[in-house]
RNA sequence: GGGCGAGUGGCGGAACGGCAGACGCGCCGGCCUUAGGAGCCGGUGUCGAGAGACGUGCGAGUUCGAAUCUCGCCUCGCCCACCA
């Protein structure tokens, strides 16, 4: 059902989106209007928006996310670029398997039907997706190459297998990557269940090799918050590794990592992680029972309990001593779970005077606290650690280094330790290698077999893909359903040709998405993952858009993958995404994240059926800044629909159509009461004054060219809401112009044509329809982008605000070339200004040319 | 606890250090109508009859001039969180 907007005073047809939207989409499809041609001579432009998981239905958030980049893609194409804007589906993943368990439908069938539904919903949006490049990661033609990629990384030593304590989701029965464990309570990113630790043999990608390179964002136009999050996640710390000799005979020294080697004279004890390999050997007989009990407790604890800062420090003395290499002092060795096994060396020198955690521990267990760094001339604080790290700290009580500035001492002490062969400068990172094994069915099988004789062996590339069998049992048992599939399990060792057992884990779906942008370049390539020529042509992605929630997941994995493949010689570039923009998230009406379980998912289908696709697109882009998002509220969509209705009417005015006249509301025409007059001198009422026809046309052209300039800038900056506001203003000006009898003039035609071109990226259907109705050549979407003429955009008169002491008191209308002395004279002559000046001379008159005048009174 | 970001009418939101509230919703009044839940026209920050005064979370500061810059505080959101 369509709202009718009466076409007053015109012979235009009804504004009825249902009558043309589908028709134009069919035409674009038939003409392959949006297909990106590899051989196009124009400059390439690769614009990508993150592909969705095929969850079932396209919701309002998908529309919101896709419309923004679609607008930019369309504008850039009209600006003369050969734009590729592909779309596909991230179709491996757990929900498909859960659907299989819950509803007894095979994941493949469930995924296929979801893709089909979402593809058709996507098409109603009227985006310029190049569907000829569509891909789905669960397609064997795709995951064959995901497996191939695994083998490339394996051969390069970037994929390895290790026993590791891993985060395990007890509900989804699957291992998670560190990046997939969220929040203070350490819950699963997917289902929210608290994770537990498990020791398992797992496959890892060596992303830590690229930690330093991933810290560099040089030449990348990425949002600052994303860069910060990645930087913090990588967590580079510079400091020193220091060996502490152990008293026991024949024991190796214990190596610690510290960022504050300048505090070593205050190291009064050592703490090892309970898991530290030296613990068992160093523990004295009389302490062994306590130590073993503590280690066992620590092992049983969940990550949550262990990581809590609130919790009181615990630990035990292991009955051994080390020697502080600087003081030669004998210091006790403790174990405590606040020292983490996976970071640094898993052991610390404890400096309670200068570390809050060590301070708390020392206080509880009555260990000595010695201040060795203090503010210049300051005193040791009472009852707390001194952790500040500023420029004016000096060492005290530190032997030969006493009196040295702390910043300097860091280097000096590290050097001396290095000279003594007791360590040296070191760098550590928080980031861990990427755990890619998943004990699940619906993913790309890891292409490895295990031979009794030859161990883990890569599957030869010519045997790819390793296909997922269809006939499996989907009960969630904690092991992959593939483990009970005899036929799948049996493989052949490439070394000896003997029987080998297949790896049954599949790959994290983030492996799939770490390279899909490469596949889009040559999606039908049968013999290779990609055609190097096509990748050279299209990559890197010029502009990538998507949600900020992928800051440390997908976006970092994709960067890693590209750097690894570059180093393997597959291409030259080292970054996949030159520019990145994040859309905000559309929340449910209840301000919560939209989810089926909350029942707050807004579906656009009803709105599209009622208002048409263009109105929904324009409304979504109008509600606020695109990068901000917000709770979904369809109130106000009528206003946007009305706007398109006014466009419909205004653009179809026949010569001679006119209505009541009001020059007042055309932007650029100053209120006539002020024009050319001394302010305050009065004049005829605004709404009865007419400009001449020539003046009205000039004003309309000015409005047109100002709008071209502003809308172009707004689109480039992703400020779609203000761009639409500007087009609403131009539309209102055109409606007024028609009422003034301008329909049929060149200025009117120019305004209408430019408005349609500017609006085309936001509302592709109505603009195509109106373009055709105006007898213009198909398609509006291949027309050149309008360019503003600065000469026409410039107003010949200026309206200057006149302030007194910074407060607006009057306005001055002057011609552009009025000299400053004249402006000052007019300002001072103003009645309002005189009132505030009270006969006194101004202390000062500030003029910002073309902006305003501020008269400063002498004051009291 | 740390880092980042945001607080503007009844609502969504505008505003290179220079006219606060663009544009739209809603509301009020009018027109047109058998009718109006359509459409069109006008009004709409708050207080005040008015002139005018006051207004961008709170408090200071810089400036001729601050929603915008600086400092402190409050509230909300996101990310990280015993990372030595």
């Amino acid at each position: 059902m369509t709202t009718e907007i009466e076409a007053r005073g015109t012979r235009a047809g009804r504004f009825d989106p249902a009558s043309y939207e589908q028709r134009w989409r069919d035409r674009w499809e038939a003409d392959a209007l949006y297909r990106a041609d590899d051989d196009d001579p124009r400059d390439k432009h690769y614009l990508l928006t993150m592909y969705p998981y095929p969850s079932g239905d396209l919701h309002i958030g998908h529309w919101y996310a896709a419309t923004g980049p679609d607008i930019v893609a369309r504008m850039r194409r009209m600006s003369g670029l050969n734009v590729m804007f592909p779309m596909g589906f991230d179709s491996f993943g757990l929900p498909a398997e859960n659907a299989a368990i819950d509803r007894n439908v095979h994941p493949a069938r469930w995924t296929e039907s979801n893709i089909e539904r979402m593809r058709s919903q996507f098409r109603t949006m009227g985006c310029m997706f190049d569907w000829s490049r569509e891909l789905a990661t669960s397609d064997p033609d795709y995951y064959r190459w995901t497996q191939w990629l695994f083998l490339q990384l394996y051969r390069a030593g970037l994929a390895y297998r290790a026993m590791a304590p891993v985060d395990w989701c007890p509900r989804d029965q699957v291992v998670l990557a560190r990046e997939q464990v969220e929040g203070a309570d350490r819950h699963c990113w997917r289902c929210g269940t608290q994770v537990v630790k498990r020791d398992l043999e797992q496959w890892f990608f060596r992303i830590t090799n690229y930690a330093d390179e991933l810290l560099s964002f040089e030449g990348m136009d990425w949002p600052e918050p994303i860069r910060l999050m990645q930087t913090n996640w990588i967590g580079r710390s510079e400091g020193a590794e220091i060996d502490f000799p152990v008293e026991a005979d024949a024991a190796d020294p214990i190596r610690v990592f510290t960022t504050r080697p300048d505090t070593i004279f205050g190291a009064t004890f050592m703490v090892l992680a309970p898991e530290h390999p030296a613990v068992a050997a160093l523990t004295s007989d009389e302490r062994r029972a306590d130590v073993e009990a503590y280690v066992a407790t620590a092992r049983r604890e969940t990550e949550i309990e262990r990581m809590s800062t609130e919790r009181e420090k615990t630990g035990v003395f292991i009955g051994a001593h080390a020697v502080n290499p600087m003081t030669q002092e004998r210091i006790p060795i403790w174990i405590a779970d606040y020292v983490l096994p996976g970071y640094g060396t898993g052991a610390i020198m404890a400096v309670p005077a200068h570390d809050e955690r060590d301070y708390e521990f020392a206080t509880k267990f009555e260990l000595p606290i010695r201040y060795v760094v203090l503010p210049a001339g300051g005193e040791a604080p009472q009852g707390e650690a001194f952790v500040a790290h500023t420029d004016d700290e000096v060492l005290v009580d530190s032997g030969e280094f006493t009196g040295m500035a702390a910043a300097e001492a860091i280097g000096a002490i590290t050097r001396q330790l290095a000279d003594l062969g007791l360590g040296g400068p070191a760098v550590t990172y928080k980031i861990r290698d990427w755990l890619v094994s998943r004990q699940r069915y619906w993913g790309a099988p890891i292409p490895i077999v295990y031979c009794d004789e030859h161990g883990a062996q890569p599957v030869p590339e010519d045997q790819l893909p390793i296909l997922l069998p269809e006939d499996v049992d989907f009960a969630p048992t904690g092991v992959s359903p593939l483990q009970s599939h005899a036929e799948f399990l049996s493989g052949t060792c490439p070394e000896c040709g003997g029987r080998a057992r297949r790896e049954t884990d599949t790959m994290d779906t983030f492996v799939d998405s770490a390279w899909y942008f490469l596949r889009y370049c040559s999606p039908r390539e049968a013999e290779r993952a990609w055609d190097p020529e096509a990748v050279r042509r299209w990559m890197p992605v010029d502009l990538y858009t998507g949600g900020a929630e992928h800051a440390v997941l997908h976006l970092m994995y994709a960067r890693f993958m590209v750097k690894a493949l570059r180093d393997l010689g597959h291409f030259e570039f080292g970054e996949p995404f030159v520019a990145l923009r994040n859309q905000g998230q559309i929340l449910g009406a209840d301000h919560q994240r939209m989810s089926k379980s909350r029942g707050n998912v807004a579906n656009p289908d009803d709105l599209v059926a009622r208002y048409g696709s263009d109105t929904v697109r324009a409304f979504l882009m109008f509600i606020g800044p695109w990068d901000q998002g917000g709770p979904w509220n369809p109130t106000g969509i009528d206003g946007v629909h009305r706007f398109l209705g006014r466009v419909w009417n205004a653009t179809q005015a026949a010569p001679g159509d006119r209505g009541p006249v009001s020059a007042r509301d055309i932007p650029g025409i100053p209120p006539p009461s002020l024009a050319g007059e001394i302010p305050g001198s009065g004049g005829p009422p605004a709404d009865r004054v007419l400009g001449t026809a020539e003046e009205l046309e000039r004003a309309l052209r000015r409005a047109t060219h100002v709008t071209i300039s502003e809308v172009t800038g707004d689109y480039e900056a992703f400020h779609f809401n203000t761009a639409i506001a500007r087009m609403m203003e131009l539309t209102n000006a055109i409606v007024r112009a028609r009422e003034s009898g301008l329909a049929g003039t060149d200025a009117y035609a120019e305004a209408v044509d430019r408005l349609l071109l500017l609006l085309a990226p936001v509302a592709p259907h109505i603009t195509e329809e109106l373009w055709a109705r105006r007898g213009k050549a198909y398609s509006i979407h291949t027309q050149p982008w309008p360019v503003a003429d600065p000469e026409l955009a410039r107003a010949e008169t200026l309206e200057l605000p006149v302030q007194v002491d910074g407060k607006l008191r009057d306005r001055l209308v002057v011609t552009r070339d009025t000299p400053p002395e004249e402006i000052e004279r007019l300002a001072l002559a103003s009645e309002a200004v005189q009132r505030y000046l009270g006969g006194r001379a101004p202390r000062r008159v500030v003029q910002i040319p073309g902006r305003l005048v501020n008269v400063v009174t002498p004051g009291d």
Side-chain angles (χ1 to χ4, degrees), chain A residues 386-402:
Chain A
F386 174 64
V387 291
H389 205 50
T390 56
D391 287 341
D392 59 351
E393 288 163 25
V394 293
L395 268 59
V396 298
D397 209 2
S398 296
E400 63 184 281
F401 298 97
T402 299

Side-chain angles (χ1 to χ4, degrees), chain A residues 566-582:
Chain A
R566 173 206 57 196
D567 289 348
L568 296 177
H570 290 285
F571 35 70
E572 303 279 312
F573 53 91
E575 287 287 348
F577 316 121
V578 174
L580 177 70
R581 294 291 178 273
N582 297 121

Side-chain angles (χ1 to χ4, degrees), chain A residues 182-371:
Chain A
E182 297 179 339
D185 61 344
R186 314 284 300 162
H187 62 260
C188 168
W189 70 303
R190 197 183 289 107
C191 71
T193 308
Q194 287 188 352
V195 304
V196 296
K197 278 286 179 200
R198 270 198 168 188
D199 285 325
L200 289 172
E201 285 270 12
Q202 304 286 308
W203 286 94
F204 292 86
F205 285 170
R206 220 177 278 282
I207 192 171
T208 51
N209 273 18
Y210 290 88
D212 267 319
E213 206 192 330
L214 287 167
L215 283 169
S216 166
F217 297 91
E218 210 187 320
M220 292 163 69
D221 176 14
W222 280 34
E224 183 63 23
I226 300 290
R227 301 200 307 234
L228 247 163
M229 273 192 257
Q230 291 203 356
T231 302
N232 291 339
W233 186 262
I234 294 163
R236 180 189 157 99
S237 289
E238 287 185 30
E241 285 188 351
I242 304 171
D243 289 334
F244 279 62
V246 174
E247 265 191 346
D249 302 331
D252 290 334
I254 295 170
R255 175 159 283 211
V256 303
F257 173 76
T258 178
T259 53
R260 295 289 304 271
D262 53 318
T263 64
I264 190 167
F265 285 83
T268 51
F269 59 101
M270 292 189 79
V271 185
L272 311 190
E275 298 86 346
H276 194 285
V279 171
L282 289 175
T283 301
S284 68
D285 291 341
E286 57 270 30
R287 300 294 305 143
R288 191 165 303 278
D290 283 355
V291 168
E292 282 175 356
Y294 187 82
V295 170
T297 312
R299 183 151 291 170
R300 266 201 309 277
E301 277 170 345
T302 63
E303 192 85 341
I304 331 136
E305 289 161 345
R306 178 143 181 190
M307 304 280 267
S308 166
T309 18
E310 315 291 293
R311 186 165 156 246
E312 202 179 325
K313 294 277 180 293
T314 61
V316 294
F317 174 52
I318 66 169
H321 288 81
V323 175
N324 182 323
M326 294 309 279
T327 63
Q328 302 307 320
E329 201 176 2
R330 197 170 173 259
I331 58 174
I333 302 173
W334 288 63
I335 57 172
D337 62 6
Y338 81 90
V339 174
L340 307 173
Y343 182 77
T345 60
I348 62 162
M349 64 175 202
V351 185
H354 303 293
D355 182 284
E356 283 171 358
R357 295 151 301 184
D358 297 346
Y359 185 91
E360 195 193 325
F361 194 83
T363 308
K364 177 165 178 189
F365 295 106
E366 296 178 339
L367 293 157
I369 298 168
R370 188 182 308 144
Y371 291 88

